[in-house]
Structures are given as structure tokens and as C-alpha cells.
Amino acid sequence: MSGRARTRARGICRSSPTVPAVGHTQAPPPLAADIHKDEISSGNAGCTFMRRGGRIREDFMDLGICTRQKLAHVRDCKTGSSGIPVTLVTNLFNLDFPRDWQLYQYHVTYVPDIESRRLKIALLYNHSELLNKAKVFDGAILFLSQKLGEEVTELSAETQRGETVKIIVMLTRELPSSSPVCIQVFNIIFKKILKKLSMYQIGRNYYNPSEPVEIYQHKLSLWPGFSISVSQFESSLLFSADVCYKVLRNETVLELMSGLYHRTGLSSFTQACEKELLGLIVLTRYNNKTYRIDDIDWSVNPTHTFEKRDGTKITYLDYYKQQYDIALSDLHQPVLVSLLKNKRNGNTEPRIAHLMPELCYLTGLSSQAVSNFQLMKALAEVMHLSPVGRQQQLTRLADDIQRNKESRFELETWGLHFGCQKSLMGRVIPPEKLILQDHICQPVSAADWSKDIRTCRMLYAPSLTKWLMIHSNQTENVNESFLNCLRRVGGSMGFRVDHPKIIRVQENPASFLRAIQQHVVPDVQMVLCILSSNQTSYYDSIKKYLTSDCPVPSQCVLTRTLNKQGMMMSIATKIAMQMTCKLGGELWAVEIPLKSLMVVGIDVCKDTLNKGMAVVGFVASSNPRITRWYSRCILQSTTGDVADCLKVFMTGALKKWYKYNHELPARVIVYRDGVGDGQLKALIEYEVPQLISCVAESSSSASSRLSVIVVRRKCVPRFFKEMNHTLQNPPVGTVIDSEATRPDWYDFYLISQKARQGTVNPTYYNVIYDDNGLKPDHMQRLTFKLCHLYYNWLGLVSIPAPCQYAHKLTFLVAQSIHKEPSLELANSLFYL
């Protein structure tokens, strides 16, 4: 949280003697009756799905966009035909309803006007005209599945005070089932159903706290749950569900604070608490709600009072005892401050909730926990479900929905029927062969090529003749053996490694940086640092200096990595490959039938240090074989994830291509990663024109043909292959381009990697612009080929190599460097 926000929070808290407790936040301002300023929600469930001004919520904004009609070559058919057919089971379920099903939207007005949203809902819902009808209402906009008798219906209701209120219900729209608004209503219906199944909403997902999975040795609880959605697929609306888990620590914030006090002492306790806690998400188990910790108010404790909504005052101590029958044990604990978004009536001032540290349980994993191999292994055993385990959970959910009386009644009231699980046909693309310097290799396993290419010579490997190896005295015992292994494996791969200049330093970041500054001269090709600590201060300071201030390729290796028994040769092989790439080398290739093709990967992420900055990474191939790369990265001020620097990037990439090939590429295919919900329209209207104009302006004669493909690693559908009466992951190379795709988009799913554990995630591709006119088979096959060309992994990856390179580049800049890398490193994969 920024200092300004903390100051505002403290000012709000301390300027008023009464602060609301959890569950009794300050009363929100009344909801206006203006139809253009309302939020639509499921009755009094508070499930908002439309923004102010009638704008659709972000995760539904993409549904109204149609790109396929503009692509003449796939307007009639977007499916391929090559490959071996395979039958797949999905996590999609049919949702049946009458053909003439419609949703009716009404605007509701109250005379005299009523400020209370709850009262508006109560008066309308209890009226005989609507009593047994399926409805969604927020106080101004009403949705019904059955049309009222008149377009304008006047009702009368009486409040508890005996006041008569006139209610005018006016029909404004009749919506078909494929409308984005209808799809939002369907999603709300199923969210209500999950609540009826005793699940609690946290974020967008629903969890079952009554069936936790305990990992006692690590003090963790996992709540099982589901992410669900209803969406329009090729020929019908389908319900999708996937298993997810919420990780909770069996440790309260108060326990964490006590531990910090014993470690830091009183003098720096408050600073340590704020550094550790601000920004974390906590869960209060008495109401199963999550909050973000925005501040800690040290001046308030459980004995202080606050004012309830009815005007009475009560202490936090008595409130929790009366409301939840909870007795607070520590009367001196401070309160945690959470700023709640106030979405109503255009009010942007946050509401405030005070939380008791001893009742707040930490969620997620700390950085120390993530680096704990045993802990992560224990989590993976539970969370990474096999296809059989995932299917069992989906079957149980479907049974619960169909057998529960309340959920069945909810569906029947809306005229819906929950159908069976969907199966469909996919195709398996043939495997690719790797082209190396001395032979062509067909890997035995898609997951691991190390045995296939360990003794093969790389396509091109520059000699490493002048380089530095910097280490501390603590790592001296492993240096010689590592160096010998590195030179040995380098020789078999065609990578000549001469003996380096070895520099010993003290074990601290300043000593490493000082040695680099003193010994790096213009003809040094590489700096290798052996670090005994994985503290980010070491890595960040080295990378920042050697990528921006003094651009030289660098390699950092941890001592504990080199100390792994019996793995030195394997480790040395991977490091040798990374060093080769950083020097501009080429490891392997695959056959690319398209001549003069440039492929581009773009990724955008937030800078971890400067929250108002976005890091845009751009990586483009610079030779027809797609083995050399041009990499750029820029930090831009932004509130979204839309790039505004693509013209600069593409111009530089086309110039680099022309320099090496003496002509411009005939085709350019761009893979855009890092796209969030609701951003498709912005990409089409803002990013694609940048690319089109740049490609058009690059040549006075015929310009390159352009395609732009959006890549999403997290997608709704999952696919399982049925074999011998059980389910397993589909084969590598499986393509799905029908039934689970969208009718208005040119899209497909590709499974290009093998899951070592659990269920494989398909990658979703959406071609939003295509001037190349490639057949679907060719576009899918090319995408699969590109998944073989990521040099930092000896196996297939889940997304095309240029996307993975762009992700690696943006991650380095956003996490460690926080500034633009030098252009002198643009021609090498310095960020691997």
C-alpha cells in the first residue's frame, strides 16, 4: 500500500471517534434509481456483474466482440483436418432450455423514491405479481425469465410504517439467450446454486470450508472448491467447472506478530510488522470473508468502542462476544485496517473495516514457503489432481447440483435443465524432429530431451575465450569441479570454453558488485557469479548493473545447485546451454516450411517496485530458421496492460531482420501473451493498428503480411482422454478447434507440453487479425513447432517460444532490474 493511502486510512480512522467493525462497516450511500448508474446484482446476494453506466463487467466484455467475420478464409470453416482423431472428455456440461427462451429486462421506479436498496428489494420481492417468478434485481434493474402481462406494470406496496409506495415496472429490453447480459445472469444463477450447496465465495471462486485438507507438518489447510462459469460455445451454452483450492495458513496474524516481536525486539517491531503484513490477504473464519491488510492502527485495541449502524456504541470485545460468541484473548493487540471498495453511486471514497489480528488467518504462501521443496511437494500431491481425481470431483459437483432440492428448484424456476458432461473430438499433430549441427533427432519423450541431445553438437556456438568467474571463499571447494564439467560438456556440444579469470570476494552483494566494476573491461564476453545465498539483493544488484549500466551477459549460479550429488554433469550441460544462448548461440531448430517468416512474442506485466509502471517485453526472430532473436523491453506508465510502444519495437525488429537477410520478412506472426479479462477490444482497437501501420510503413513496395494471435495459458476447458475405462491426459500435440471454441472467433486449443504431475493445462489461441490467410491446419502446426524452440528447457513448453522469451524478459525487468536493458544486449537471450 502506498504511503498516501496509509495516510488517508489513518486520517479517516483517527479523525472520527467511531470506526465500524467487521460486518458493521459504515453504511453505504443510497443506490440511485437512474438506470444508467446502477450495478446489477442477484437480488440481495450482492453479486455485482455490471459496472456503473451500464457497462458489462470485465470478464464478460470480450463476449460481444466478433473477429471471425472479418477473416474471409475462416468465415465458413475454421477447423483443421490433419492429425489422428481422438475422443476427449471435457469439464463442460450441457445447459438445456427451451428454444424460445428469453430474458426480460425491466426498469423499476419507486414513488416516492426510496433510498434503501434492501427495502426496495423487499417491497418488490414480496409482491404477489413476482412472488413465484425467477428474478434478479438490484433496486433499479429487474430481470425476469417470464414476461409480465403489460409493458408497464404499476404495483402498490406498504412499508412497515404504513406508508404506501407506488412501484412502476417498465419493460426496456427482450434479450436472447446468447446475449452477454443473459450469460451474466446464468452465471449469477449458478453462483446462487453453489451457495445453496454450502460453499463460500472467495474472490471469483467457491470453496467448501467443511471439508478441509490438512497438511499438519506445514500448518496449512486447503479448502477445496470450484471455479465455474457459463459461456457461449460453438453451438450452445455450456456450464464449466474446474477444481481449485484455497491455501490457508493455520497461523493467525497475531501469532505472526508475536514471532516478529521475539525476533526483532521492540525498537523495530512496528516497522517489521508493516513490512511483513501490508498487502497480505487474510481470512476471517467467523464469516469466511477475505480482506486485504492496508494498514495497522496501533492506537486502537479491543477495549475501544465504535458506533454501530443503529447509533449505539459497543467495544470490539463485547461486539465479537455478542455477534459471534468469540472471546478475544489479547486486549492489547492493535487493529488491522482494510479499505473496502465503495462501488455504489459513484462514491470512490473507501469504506473502512477494523480486523482483530487474532481472528485473521493468513492466506497464500510466503516467499520462504515457496522455496521450501518439501512443503511445495506436499501441496502438489493434493492440488495437482490426476484426470481421474479431477473427474471424480466434477462428477460429485454435478450430482450435488442435480440432487439438491433447492438448486433443482432454482434451475426449474428459470426454465433451465442441467445436462450431461460433454465429449468431443480432437486431433493429434505428428511430433517434430530437432535439427542439430551433425544430425536430426527425434526425441523419445516430449517432456525431456536431455538424453537425446546431450552429446550432440549445437547449431552454432561462439567460443568463450575471455570471461570472469566471481565467487566467495565459501564456494571455493566446488568451483574447480564445476569448471571442469562445464568445459567437458561444452566440448561435446561444440561450445569452446577457455579457462576464466577467477576472482575471490567477500560474501556480500557490495563485494560482488565492486569486483564486477573493477574487472569488467570492454572485451569481457561473460561474467559468471557463484553465490552462496539466494537473497535477491545479490542477484538484483548484479543483473541491474550488467544489463543496464555495463551491458555484459551474466550467469548466476547458487552453490547449493552445484552441491547436488551426482548431478554435476546435468547441471553443467544446462548452464553451458544458457551461456551459449547469452553469447548469441543457436541450440537447435525445427523444420519451418514457411519461408521468410518472422515470429514475435509480446508480454506485459506490472513492475513490482513501481506499481504505476508496466513492463512491456518484445522478442522477435531475426532469421528464417527462427533460431536468432531480437529482444526489447520498455517501462511505460499505465493503468492497464495495453502496450503503447509496439511501433518502436516492430520498427527495430524489421530493421534487424533487413540487416541480417537483406530483405523484409514476407510474413509476420505476432503472439500476444499477458492479456487479461476484458482487454480484447483494446488490443484490436489500439495494439493491432500500431502493428499494421508499422508493417505498412516499413516498405514502399509490398509490405509484410501480418497475423496477431492472443495467447492465454489459463482457460476454462480441460480435456481428458478415455482409455481402458480410465481417464488420462491427452497426448502432446492434441488440437481442439470445435465445440469448445467460440462461434465468433477464430480460435483453438493446443496441448503442447506433458504434465509431470496432475492434469495438463491446454493453451488457448485466438487469432484476432490475420492477413496471412494460412489454413487452420498450418496455423496450428506452426504454433506447435514454435513450442519446441525455447532454449531454456530441454523439452516442449506450453506456449510458443517467442512468448516464453518475452515472459522471461519482462519477469527479469519487473522483479530485479526495474529499468530498460541496454540495446547492446538486444541480439542475445541475456535474460535466460
Side-chain angles (χ1 to χ4, degrees), residues 123 127 154-158 164-167:
L123 292 175
H127 204 283
E154 293 190 5
L155 307 172
S156 179
E158 188 174 299
T164 301
V165 178
K166 183 180 178 182
I167 305 174

Side-chain angles (χ1 to χ4, degrees), residues 546-551 631-632 820-826 830:
L546 290 175
T547 55
S548 298
D549 302 330
C550 179
S631 307
R632 287 286 307 274
E820 294 175 20
S822 171
L823 289 178
E824 294 183 34
L825 296 175
F830 64 92

